[in-house]
């Protein structure tokens, strides 16, 4: 049975053998410039470039809340751009941008793809940074959509 392993470290440097998917939550505005994405962009340029292209061409594709985009960055490493945040926080914002239903939908798609790839999944506490979510709400989604499907998950606290 797979589990969630919690470690201190950098989710952009996954600690595992075999195929690895680094998962994170993106907003539905096509913005990329704060939070965990900065660490991704420091290591690889493809996740940002592909995310921006996906958003730019959204009239012709599946971009939107709950969507998943997998971007291969190394022979055995993929980045999962998951749209799980409505907009971004601003000074006038009320409420938080996180959308748990969208994260659930994206995680479900990720579980399927990770199983096909034979991959483990690595992530920060998705949806709980700039998106404003609570891990107590996200963790059960990770368990249901990944762990119960047999996908090993490692959560990194930086």
């Amino acid at each position: 049975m797979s589990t969630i392993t919690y470690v201190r470290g950098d989710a952009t440097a996954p600690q595992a053998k075999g195929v690895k998917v680094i998962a994170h939550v993106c907003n539905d505005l096509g913005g990329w410039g704060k939070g965990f994405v900065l660490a991704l962009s420091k290591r690889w340029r493809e996740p940002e470039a592909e995310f921006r292209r996906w958003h730019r061409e959204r009239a012709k594709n599946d971009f939107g809340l709950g969507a998943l985009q997998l971007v291969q960055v190394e022979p055995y490493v993929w980045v999962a751009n998951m749209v799980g945040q409505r907009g971004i926080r601003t000074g006038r914002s009320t409420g938080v941008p996180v959308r748990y239903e969208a994260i659930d939908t994206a995680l479900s798609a990720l579980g399927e793809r990770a199983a096909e790839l034979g991959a483990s999944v690595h992530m920060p506490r998705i949806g709980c940074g700039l998106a404003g979510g609570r891990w107590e709400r996200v963790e059960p989604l990770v368990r249901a959509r990944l762990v119960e499907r047999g996908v090993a998950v490692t959560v990194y606290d930086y």
Side-chain angles (χ1 to χ4, degrees):
M1 174 72 183
S2 294
T3 60
I4 298 177
T5 303
Y6 291 87
V7 299
R8 285 217 165 279
D10 179 359
T12 69
Q15 304 300 305
K17 295 200 182 319
V19 180
K20 298 165 279 294
V21 177
I22 301 167
H24 71 107
V25 167
C26 306
N27 64 63
D28 66 349
L29 296 177
W32 183 289
K34 288 186 176 178
F36 183 70
V37 298
L38 295 178
L40 286 172
S41 289
K42 222 179 244 184
R43 197 172 277 268
W44 305 285
R45 62 170 202 69
E46 296 92 347
E48 176 180 1
E50 288 301 309
F51 177 75
R52 291 189 184 280
R53 184 190 54 72
W54 189 32
H55 176 263
R56 192 173 48 253
E57 297 172 3
R58 66 191 175 280
K60 297 179 276 188
N61 64 41
D62 66 344
F63 184 92
L65 284 171
L68 167 72
Q69 179 190 51
L70 278 183
V71 180
Q72 191 166 15
V73 294
E74 292 179 13
Y76 297 100
V77 181
W78 298 75
V79 171
N81 294 329
M82 301 187 302
V83 184
Q85 181 181 326
R86 162 90 62 209
I88 57 173
R89 279 188 178 171
T90 65
R92 300 183 312 269
S93 296
T94 57
V96 293
V98 69
R99 293 296 179 266
Y100 297 109
E101 319 74 44
I103 291 174
D104 188 43
T105 300
L107 283 170
S108 183
L110 176 58
E112 200 171 295
R113 294 298 309 279
E116 289 169 6
L117 291 167
S120 55
V121 173
H122 304 263
M123 64 179 70
R125 292 182 189 239
I126 58 170
C128 299
L130 296 172
R134 294 193 344 265
W135 187 245
E136 304 78 58
R137 299 259 327 257
V138 176
E139 184 187 41
L141 305 177
V142 172
R143 283 190 189 287
R145 302 302 182 197
L146 300 176
V147 175
E148 290 177 14
R149 195 176 247 152
V151 176
V153 176
T154 303
V155 174
Y156 296 75
D157 289 313
Y158 191 68

